[in-house]
Amino acid sequence: MKPISMTVLLMFLAGTCALADEQKDREKLIGSWQLQDSAESDAATSWTFSDKGKGLHVTEMEGPSTVSDFDCHVAGTPCEIKVSGKAATLSQWFNGAMLVQMETKGSDVVKRRFSVVSQTDPASDVMEVEIVPITPSGKAKTLHFKRTQASAPGK
């Protein structure tokens, strides 16, 4: 019986370490991000993520205009939000260290996947945002953002 209980203990410890690493990777998203290449988009787009316990506060800006500003859980439950002043529904969740958002505005559905590519200097991190039009279907694109503000100390 001892080998079985030791195996269970080792599996538990390995799982706990993996969850801790995943949480640390998720925290890299917290902060403000500015579009790197203005040729990738018409406007200077930026995203800001703040930790709200079981959810995130998310702000999307295009230049000086706020596109969306909302709090939403990361459990995949739908949130009612406004995008450019129009009603929309958003669900978001983490797939490993990647934040996935599914946004429905009228009959249009878009999936976004946010991931941080870490560098040796956290100020040099790059956030990749893959935008996948679901309905109507379309060509996916990936945008790259540079960190403009890190999370608060201790986060």
Side-chain angles (χ1 to χ4, degrees):
M1 265 224 202
K2 266 193 165 186
I4 292 174
S5 60
M6 183 61 86
T7 302
V8 170
L9 177 62
L10 290 174
M11 289 174 60
F12 173 75
L13 290 174
T16 303
C17 291
L19 287 175
D21 287 345
E22 192 173 276
Q23 182 64 31
K24 187 176 179 182
D25 286 341
R26 291 177 181 183
E27 290 174 356
K28 291 178 183 176
L29 184 65
I30 303 303
S32 297
W33 302 87
Q34 179 74 41
L35 186 64
Q36 274 187 331
D37 184 3
S38 59
E40 294 183 52
S41 178
D42 295 335
T45 303
S46 65
W47 290 88
T48 302
F49 300 90
S50 304
D51 186 7
K52 292 292 183 185
K54 292 185 179 184
L56 289 174
H57 179 88
V58 180
T59 304
E60 178 186 7
M61 304 284 293
E62 283 185 6
S65 302
T66 302
V67 175
S68 59
D69 187 17
F70 59 88
D71 291 321
C72 190
H73 288 290
V74 290
T77 53
C79 299
E80 299 298 321
I81 66 169
K82 296 245 185 223
V83 178
S84 299
K86 297 182 181 170
T89 303
L90 180 115
S91 297
Q92 62 183 5
W93 61 92
F94 279 99
N95 182 358
M98 181 184 304
L99 176 67
V100 181
Q101 291 183 340
M102 191 72 75
E103 179 184 283
T104 304
K105 189 169 49 175
S107 62
D108 295 344
V109 180
V110 174
K111 181 184 350 181
R112 288 186 205 90
R113 292 187 265 207
F114 299 84
S115 58
V116 176
V117 179
S118 295
Q119 307 297 318
T120 52
D121 175 15
S124 300
D125 287 351
V126 173
M127 179 178 71
E128 292 183 347
V129 181
E130 182 183 19
I131 303 167
V132 182
I134 304 294
T135 307
S137 63
K139 185 178 176 185
K141 65 180 176 180
T142 302
L143 302 176
H144 297 91
F145 292 76
K146 63 183 175 184
R147 186 181 295 279
T148 58
Q149 180 182 352
S151 60
K155 292 266 177 175

